[in-house]
Amino acid sequence: MIDPVLLFGLALIAGAPLALSPLPTALAAALAAAALGRRAGRAALAAAALALVVGGLRARALLDDAGGLYGSAAALLHPPARCEVTGAVIGSPVVVGAAQRTAGEAPTARIDVELSGGNCGGRALPGPLRARLHGAPLDLARGDRLEVVVDLAPIHLFRNEGLRDATAAIARSGIVASGSIVDARRTAEGRSIGAAVDRARAAVRGRIEATFHPEAAALGRALVLGETDLAPEDQDAFRESGLAHLLAVSGTHLILAVAGFAAVARALLVRVEPIAARWDAGRITAALCVPAAWLYADFAGGGGSAMRAAAMLSCAMCARLAGLRPSGVRCFALSLAGAAAVDPLVACDLSFGLSAAATAGLLWLQRPLAALLVPGEGGRGDERAEGGTPGARSSSSPRALARKVLAPLATTLAAMFGCAPLLLMNGETFPLLGVAANVVAAPIGELAALPFCLAHAVLSWAPPVERGCALVGSGALLAVRAVARASADTGMVLRLPEPSPAQLAALAAAIALAWAAERRARRLAALAAGAAAWLLLEIVAVRAGAPRGVLRVSVLDVGQGDAILIDLPEGGAMLVDAGGFVGSPVDPGARVIRPLLRSRRRARLDAVVLSHPHPDHFGGLPAVVEGVEVGELWDTGQGEAEGAGPVYAKLLSDLRRRGVPVVRPASLCGRPRALSGATVEVLAPCPDLHPDRGANDNSFVLRLTHGAHAALLVGDAEHEAEEALVARYGAALRADLLKVGHHGSRTSTGPALLAAVDPAVAAVTCGVRNRYGHPSPEVLSRLSARGVAIARMDRGGALIWETDGERVRWSRPGEPPSPAPARRGAADGTAAPGR
């Protein structure tokens, strides 16, 4: 029989996927229930069904509340404002930006604060508002009261169809804004246990920085404190080699730390004669280990993996305290159920998910894999077969050596198989050498780096021993890093598409069917059916990513910048700009566009268009073109003529080295191009650059047509360029969709252009954090006066506009597609609502 507590915990965890992807999750749950009926019992299935529904409703309610909370913050902080406020620290300070600091620059921390009084830009703060602030002093702790001056703005959600719902992070944390501290003054110190933990973290952080090798300090902080502040090249190396888990605070870390505490506590207790004579020192130690596990998980950053491991260890210790034998499966089940009861969206926590998946792999896959890989591991018959008692065999026999080599391999494979779906969801590559890298690096990390780094954390009272631990720990960490870099440098990675919700649901149903099967043949058949369903759904995803017979224009939410992905009727694609912003740590190419291309199964772009050489249009392009095949780059040439900076220069250099043609206006103007079933006209700058105009007024202006409908993309063209367009083309500019010029600035979208284009829908590519006042009230008024539907990227996220040549429809993230309002004179004769 299947453990009913495990079934209940899994159902409660599945509430989050049910809220985010209702149909696939519900179908998978129904198939799982049908498969597990015999082995679970009606009562257990009914309880699991109730847990799934309740979990889904709670998760949905949290997401809806988070949407309202974010909307209020966006209204208050538009435009971003300087705030003079009071508040309390609610999150442990975390060092960030260490890799980017210059020599002699003082380190600062990131803190989470609940602001409760003051004003922002002259507007009173109406109620509590949670924000993530950068540039905080390192000596702050939870519970500290502050008076701060901070430049504050809403966090950017990057809401794009096909990418995961970013409001889950707000729902879990309540944090809706972020900013940089200008000035901060502590008015009262926190006195809670959390404050004491934070001060202990600060002390250990200081000792790591003082005693570790400089290149190993960030690795040590990641291992001990959970601060993932590595240099970018190290982050990439650990991710691409499959070794990132060695620096994450996991169950292994917690067990080792608590086991060390338990050994010391037990050794002391058995030496206290009155205690040893009356009570079981083991049970007392088990009781002490429960709070110790939670304290250590909090000290190590309070991540989802550490908290889940603390819950599982607490369950085992409570069983020991009650005189029972702990059950790994039952403790695992209780850790899942407890986490989902506290946080209905805990499944959205990557660290929690990886920890749970790895533990599941070890519980259910490690033994079968060991039996398959390690001779005699399936039972004890091999010991008797050799004619001796266990332990009588030579440890140097070939079978014993095989065990030593292959047993860690079975463990690594079990954990990796468990984590594989989540790794595919959160990374573009799967390391082919991950198993080999883990076999080499895991013993160094777990037997040398981890114990010496943990010992170092409690040895500040013994400086010589502390320095010795720092020396050994640094060496072990640098050795692990060397393995990660060597594995990543081979480039042996498998690029796989991100699993769709339907594919994950099919996988879950197949696992349930295999789990319920009593015969090996049926298990294999269930897994084969799951693989077939996965492949079928992959075909569906490929077709959805490149729809045929449709022109689809996706105006993406990348912040204050332009990025427009265009799916062409015969399966091709083109990208116009890729966002970016000077000084921002977020690369929209890596954060938004590459994941979107991956979810749409796009490995090639027929054309990449740089409308003009400004960073908010080309900043994300290097990250995009790095991962896809590019047919050609359309570039006005102004950036090369006038010098647009090193990012632009390197982009052109890299593409030319790859043999990608760079096409200029002289080759594009004057003749419409048939591109994968659509007609693309370059209307400006034609016949070439205008030397007396700036970059904005030299933007590429594109008109894309399919059948009776068109979209007009004008880059950052301002009034001078608009007047020239109207004079030259007049009514030939007509289009159903207008990408508004210059992010809705008052210098663009004049009355003459609007009259000529007569759009039904206008897309405004402004960011929620922009300080320019975009979009201009004048532009919004002109659009509204003509009855044009306005789609702002800072309000509702991306716009998807598509036409099959006869009909038009559009949608925003989280909304079903609906017929788009038609412009006056549209071929289908449909009237726009309200006209």
Side-chain angles (χ1 to χ4, degrees):
M1 296 294 291
I2 292 171
D3 188 325
V5 179
L6 177 61
L7 199 61
F8 182 85
L10 290 171
L12 209 55
I13 286 287
L18 181 65
L20 294 167
S21 302
L23 183 58
T25 306
L27 289 174
L31 287 173
L36 299 173
R38 287 186 179 181
R39 298 186 59 188
R42 292 183 179 179
L45 285 177
L50 180 62
L52 177 64
V53 173
V54 170
L57 291 174
R58 290 180 66 206
R60 186 69 260 168
L62 284 174
L63 291 169
D64 291 341
D65 289 346
L69 193 65
Y70 180 76
S72 299
L76 172 70
L77 299 173
H78 180 75
R82 174 155 292 187
C83 302
E84 298 177 3
V85 288
T86 61
V89 180
I90 59 173
S92 298
V94 176
V95 171
V96 293
Q100 288 76 38
R101 286 201 309 269
T102 58
E105 185 179 355
T108 58
R110 182 195 72 208
I111 57 171
D112 294 340
V113 178
E114 183 168 282
L115 307 175
S116 56
N119 69 86
C120 290
R123 293 159 289 178
L125 194 65
L129 182 147
R130 291 191 172 189
R132 179 158 291 168
L133 306 183
H134 296 260
L138 292 178
D139 61 349
L140 293 179
R142 280 169 287 179
D144 286 357
R145 300 289 306 177
L146 305 174
E147 290 182 355
V148 294
V149 178
V150 58
D151 290 326
L152 204 61
I155 62 173
H156 212 307
L157 297 183
F158 299 109
R159 290 171 286 190
N160 294 277
E161 195 67 45
L163 302 184
R164 267 163 281 166
D165 189 349
T167 48
I170 294 177
R172 300 187 66 237
S173 67
I175 294 170
V176 293
S178 65
S180 300
I181 292 176
V182 178
D183 184 46
R185 184 172 70 89
R186 180 165 47 199
T187 58
E189 287 191 355
R191 300 295 182 185
S192 64
I193 293 175
V197 169
D198 287 346
R199 293 187 179 103
R201 283 170 53 87
V204 170
R205 183 188 299 116
R207 296 310 303 159
I208 289 175
E209 294 289 347
T211 59
F212 271 55
H213 187 282
E215 292 189 16
L219 302 173
R221 286 191 288 105
L223 189 67
V224 177
L225 302 174
E227 297 181 345
T228 53
D229 187 39
L230 306 183
E233 59 271 20
D234 286 340
Q235 288 180 339
D236 293 341
F238 275 93
R239 183 185 67 252
E240 293 176 7
S241 63
L243 297 179
H245 67 95
L246 292 181
L247 294 183
V249 179
S250 64
T252 303
H253 296 59
L254 188 127
I255 290 170
L256 186 57
V258 176
F261 168 79
V264 173
R266 183 179 175 84
L268 293 174
L269 288 172
V270 296
R271 285 167 173 75
V272 180
E273 189 171 335
I275 295 178
R278 295 186 60 185
W279 293 292
D280 182 349
R283 289 192 178 185
I284 298 175
T285 302
L288 293 174
C289 282
V290 174
W294 291 102
L295 282 172
Y296 177 73
D298 188 37
F299 172 84
S305 61
M307 290 299 183
R308 193 209 61 79
M312 193 169 175
L313 184 60
S314 296
C315 174
M317 291 298 103
C318 287
R320 173 70 179 87
L321 185 61
L324 303 174
R325 182 178 180 181
S327 164
V329 171
R330 177 60 59 85
C331 290
F332 176 64
L334 288 171
S335 73
L336 296 182
V342 173
D343 179 2
L345 289 166
V346 72
C348 299
D349 185 327
L350 177 60
S351 67
F352 177 90
L354 289 173
S355 172
T359 302
L362 293 173
L363 285 172
W364 283 283
L365 296 178
Q366 196 273 341
R367 185 174 295 178
L369 288 172
L372 183 66
L373 296 175
V374 183
E377 197 66 17
R380 297 182 181 178
D382 60 312
E383 295 169 349
R384 293 190 294 270
E386 291 189 12
T389 59
R393 293 168 298 160
S394 168
S395 62
S396 61
S397 67
R399 182 166 291 183
L401 291 175
R403 273 195 181 89
K404 291 180 180 179
V405 173
L406 296 177
L409 179 60
T411 301
T412 298
L413 284 173
M416 288 190 71
F417 283 156
C419 293
L422 290 177
L423 292 173
L424 288 178
M425 286 179 63
N426 291 277
E428 298 180 6
T429 59
F430 193 82
L432 293 176
L433 292 179
V435 174
N438 271 277
V439 169
V440 175
I444 302 172
E446 294 177 359
L447 300 179
L450 180 57
F452 279 97
C453 288
L454 291 177
H456 172 272
V458 295
L459 287 171
S460 60
W461 53 273
V465 184
E466 180 195 42
R467 287 194 296 272
C469 287
L471 181 64
V472 177
S474 295
L477 287 170
L478 292 175
V480 171
R481 186 183 71 170
V483 175
R485 287 182 172 181
S487 177
D489 287 345
T490 64
M492 296 182 66
V493 294
L494 191 61
R495 294 190 177 274
L496 296 171
E498 178 180 356
S500 67
Q503 286 176 311
L504 293 174
L507 176 64
I511 291 173
L513 288 167
W515 192 11
E518 297 178 358
R519 297 180 182 177
R520 183 178 181 184
R522 290 185 177 179
R523 291 194 190 103
L524 293 176
L527 294 176
W534 183 288
L535 292 175
L536 179 62
L537 290 167
E538 181 63 22
I539 294 172
V540 172
V542 169
R543 291 185 175 179
R548 298 290 175 141
V550 171
L551 173 66
R552 181 169 64 184
V553 179
S554 300
V555 186
L556 304 180
D557 177 11
V558 292
Q560 184 64 14
D562 275 19
I564 304 167
L565 179 61
I566 302 163
D567 297 299
L568 301 167
E570 292 179 359
M574 63 189 297
L575 177 69
V576 180
D577 297 328
F581 201 75
V582 175
S584 172
V586 178
D587 182 342
R591 174 76 174 268
V592 175
I593 303 172
R594 269 174 58 172
L596 186 62
L597 291 172
R598 185 172 175 241
S599 73
R600 293 189 181 181
R601 277 57 177 170
R602 289 286 190 187
R604 173 183 167 82
L605 293 169
D606 295 85
V608 171
V609 181
L610 174 55
S611 66
H612 64 290
H614 281 170
D616 57 334
H617 294 255
F618 68 69
L621 281 177
V624 174
V625 301
E626 179 186 344
V628 297
E629 180 186 352
V630 177
E632 55 188 24
L633 173 70
W634 297 5
D635 177 44
T636 64
Q638 190 168 13
E640 201 163 29
E642 299 178 4
V647 174
Y648 169 86
K650 187 174 186 302
L651 171 69
L652 262 62
S653 174
D654 289 347
L655 287 175
R656 281 172 171 151
R657 187 170 60 252
R658 288 165 53 180
V660 175
V662 178
V663 186
R664 303 297 193 195
S667 302
L668 296 167
C669 292
R671 49 185 182 276
R673 294 187 59 166
L675 191 62
S676 192
T679 300
V680 182
E681 299 172 82
V682 175
L683 306 182
C686 291
D688 211 329
L689 286 172
H690 297 272
D692 56 339
R693 294 181 187 172
N696 284 353
D697 276 327
N698 268 315
S699 292
F700 270 129
V701 175
L702 308 181
R703 188 172 185 270
L704 297 95
T705 307
H706 180 49
H709 297 281
L712 184 69
L713 314 179
V714 299
D716 276 1
E718 298 183 283
H719 289 327
E720 185 178 0
E722 290 180 357
E723 291 168 2
L725 285 169
V726 172
R728 183 169 184 177
Y729 299 102
L733 293 171
R734 292 207 182 277
D736 303 84
L737 169 67
L738 170 66
K739 200 292 294 182
V740 169
H742 202 192
H743 320 291
S745 166
R746 61 182 177 81
T747 60
S748 300
T749 321
L753 180 76
L754 276 178
V757 178
D758 189 25
V761 182
V764 186
T765 55
C766 56
V768 73
R769 300 175 69 92
N770 88 84
R771 298 179 180 275
Y772 310 109
H774 296 158
S776 163
E778 300 168 28
V779 170
L780 296 178
S781 177
R782 284 197 288 268
L783 291 168
S784 298
R786 296 190 62 84
V788 180
I790 301 170
R792 293 172 54 169
M793 302 307 104
D794 63 337
R795 305 279 178 88
L799 167 71
I800 297 180
W801 178 93
E802 61 183 26
T803 178
D804 60 2
E806 298 179 358
R807 292 169 299 276
V808 174
R809 64 178 187 171
W810 66 323
S811 64
R812 310 294 297 274
E815 300 176 1
S818 58
R823 62 176 173 81
R824 284 189 293 270
D828 60 6
T830 305
R835 283 192 170 182

